[in-house]
Amino acid sequence: MATTHIKRSTSASRLVNYAEKRAVKQDGLNLDIQYAKSEFKQVRDIYGNPGKTQAYASRIAFSPLEFNPQAPHDQATVLAVAKEVYAKAYPNQQVALYEHADTDSLHVHAVIGAINLETGQKMHGNWHQYRDRLVQITDQVCQERGLMVTQPDPNRHEKRSMAEIKLRAKHQPTWKDQIRQAVDHTMQNPLICDFQAFQADLKQQAVKVWERGKNLTYQLLGTNYKSRGTKLGIDYEKETIFNELASRQTQSRTNQQPERATKATVDSAQSDPGRTPKLPGHPDSTASHSQNVSRSTTSADRTDRRTSQPTVSDNLKQLRQQQRQLASPIKTDLTKRLRNVSKTDQSDQSEKSDHPQTDSNRARPKQPTPQPTQQPSEPDHSRDDGPSR
């Protein structure tokens, strides 16, 4: 049974320096293992593609139940298995292999050059894809050699490194355990329904969390200790956290809908008591039921009712006739009043027309009436009867 691991590195020489110090056996693919560092550098210079990523660090560990770390035969077998795995996974790249026996299980460190010797291109993609492919090839080789194939534990929700396992055996807490406990405490609160609330609650527990691509990164405040959710376990990964928060939001919305409907019914009943629905056990329900029964009549009863009772059109006619009768005296009285008003207006207008003439006469000065002119009359000879003197 073998477990695998792979990650990106910015320095191939640093990986080689670490691995070759404690190696009990070593071997290489597409390079001379004695000059691994210089050959890695030569390939980078030839293809003119130095970049930041120089190599990938990988490791294959075997179960102590199958191989003894101190047995030379087992050491040779493990190195041969590891060489076959990497030859199938990276046939066109430089690979330096270093076997360690300083733990309970034999394991092989591999330094994989980032440049493809045929195309001159670097490895591009997600290291999770590289790991999945490496796991698949490792299981295939182990099965062909009759070794146990690693079966993932579906109930394993936490991932722990070897250092954590050793500290836990000594009953010593680790900083990763502090982060796990803080996340567990936060997710136990049913009121946490979104990522902002998740961040705020963790901050109160001295843990900072933020999104980084497809992962979540956790860090203890005041320290440089930080880890991705994929390193802590399945329960702390971004997909698991976001799915749980989304399900809580959906559940809260479904719970709010019946509460809103109940509240709306109560409000409508309070605003209009007459519209309150009557329950079957209420005393008024019997009367309403009888009314409903009386309304459901047959067509024959409705025909008899039409002949015996006046129709709606007849009622309207009677109502209009009554309105006419009531309106006729009012109309007569109104006509008389209008006539009197018109006569009064006419008299007032005549008086107003006379007043201006009087005033004009008063304003004019009196002119002397012309006297008739007297013409000289002829002498009256009738009076001269006697002699003139």
Side-chain angles (χ1 to χ4, degrees):
M1 182 174 61
T3 59
T4 57
H5 174 75
I6 187 172
K7 65 179 181 179
R8 185 175 58 181
S9 176
T10 58
S11 176
S13 298
R14 184 170 60 247
L15 296 178
V16 173
N17 290 336
Y18 168 78
E20 69 180 356
K21 288 180 181 179
R22 291 178 288 180
V24 293
K25 289 183 178 297
Q26 54 187 10
D27 201 348
L29 296 170
N30 300 320
L31 56 74
D32 188 348
I33 193 63
Q34 302 296 330
Y35 306 97
K37 291 190 291 185
S38 61
E39 291 193 9
F40 278 130
K41 188 176 182 302
Q42 288 177 1
V43 171
R44 293 196 303 270
D45 294 340
I46 291 172
Y47 289 99
N49 192 2
K52 292 184 179 181
T53 303
Q54 295 183 359
Y56 285 83
S58 180
R59 182 184 68 249
I60 297 180
F62 296 86
S63 172
L65 300 177
E66 292 182 303
F67 299 101
N68 183 5
Q70 306 302 327
H73 179 268
D74 291 346
Q75 293 176 358
T77 303
V78 166
L79 184 60
V81 172
K83 187 175 183 178
E84 183 179 356
V85 169
Y86 287 105
K88 289 184 176 182
Y90 307 103
N92 299 321
Q93 292 176 241
Q94 296 171 302
V95 181
L97 301 174
Y98 302 93
E99 185 178 9
H100 289 185
D102 54 349
T103 61
D104 295 336
S105 60
L106 280 171
H107 56 280
V108 178
H109 290 271
V111 181
I112 306 168
I115 298 175
N116 190 308
L117 298 178
E118 288 188 356
T119 62
Q121 301 295 324
K122 279 189 174 182
M123 292 173 58
H124 293 288
N126 191 345
W127 68 273
H128 291 284
Q129 298 176 355
Y130 299 150
R131 181 185 179 277
D132 293 340
R133 182 168 177 268
L134 189 60
V135 168
Q136 182 181 1
I137 295 174
T138 302
D139 293 341
Q140 180 182 354
V141 172
C142 289
Q143 189 174 5
E144 291 174 355
R145 289 178 171 265
L147 302 175
M148 291 188 298
V149 178
T150 304
Q151 299 294 335
D153 186 5
N155 298 323
R156 183 187 177 187
H157 300 287
E158 296 181 358
K159 296 180 180 179
R160 297 183 180 275
S161 62
M162 186 60 65
E164 287 184 274
I165 295 173
K166 291 180 178 180
L167 289 173
R168 194 170 186 179
K170 298 178 182 179
H171 303 284
Q172 296 180 3
T174 63
W175 60 272
K176 288 186 178 180
D177 286 333
Q178 296 180 17
I179 295 176
R180 293 189 184 99
Q181 292 173 3
V183 175
D184 293 340
H185 182 269
T186 299
M187 295 305 293
Q188 288 175 0
N189 186 358
L191 299 179
I192 305 298
C193 297
D194 53 36
F195 187 68
Q196 288 75 16
F198 179 72
Q199 285 180 313
D201 194 84
L202 281 179
K203 191 174 182 180
Q204 295 179 357
Q205 304 181 57
V207 176
K208 181 181 179 182
V209 59
W210 65 91
E211 295 183 66
R212 186 176 180 182
K214 297 181 179 180
N215 300 316
L216 291 178
T217 301
Y218 303 87
Q219 181 180 5
L220 286 177
L221 293 177
T223 66
N224 292 326
Y225 296 135
K226 57 184 178 180
S227 174
R228 295 187 180 183
T230 53
K231 297 289 187 65
L232 299 176
I234 299 176
D235 289 345
Y236 311 95
E237 294 180 359
K238 179 179 179 179
E239 183 179 0
T240 305
I241 297 295
F242 275 57
N243 289 341
E244 176 64 22
L245 296 177
S247 64
R248 291 184 182 184
Q249 289 181 356
T250 305
Q251 185 177 2
S252 64
R253 291 172 184 171
T254 54
N255 293 336
Q256 287 176 0
Q257 289 179 356
E259 292 179 0
R260 292 176 180 174
T262 305
K263 185 177 180 181
T265 305
V266 173
D267 293 341
S268 61
Q270 292 178 355
S271 61
D272 191 359
R275 298 178 61 184
T276 305
K278 297 178 181 179
L279 299 176
H282 198 274
D284 294 339
S285 63
T286 306
S288 63
H289 180 68
S290 63
Q291 291 177 1
N292 295 332
V293 172
S294 63
R295 288 174 184 172
S296 58
T297 57
T298 61
S299 60
D301 295 337
R302 292 177 181 174
T303 306
D304 296 340
R305 185 182 300 171
R306 289 174 185 174
T307 57
S308 60
Q309 295 181 359
T311 60
V312 176
S313 61
D314 295 338
N315 292 334
L316 289 174
K317 290 179 181 180
Q318 292 177 3
L319 180 59
R320 290 174 181 174
Q321 187 176 1
Q322 291 176 2
Q323 289 178 353
R324 292 194 193 100
Q325 293 175 359
L326 292 174
S328 59
I330 296 173
K331 185 176 181 181
T332 304
D333 188 15
L334 181 60
T335 305
K336 291 179 180 180
R337 291 184 180 182
L338 290 174
R339 288 176 181 175
N340 294 333
V341 171
S342 62
K343 290 179 180 181
T344 306
D345 292 340
Q346 290 177 1
S347 61
D348 292 340
Q349 290 178 2
S350 62
E351 290 177 359
K352 290 180 180 179
S353 62
D354 293 340
H355 283 300
Q357 293 177 0
T358 307
D359 294 339
S360 62
N361 293 331
R362 289 177 181 176
R364 290 177 183 175
K366 293 182 178 181
Q367 296 179 359
T369 57
Q371 297 294 335
T373 58
Q374 296 181 0
Q375 296 180 359
S377 61
E378 295 179 356
D380 188 5
H381 298 286
S382 62
R383 291 182 181 181
D384 295 339
D385 293 336
S388 58
R389 295 180 178 175

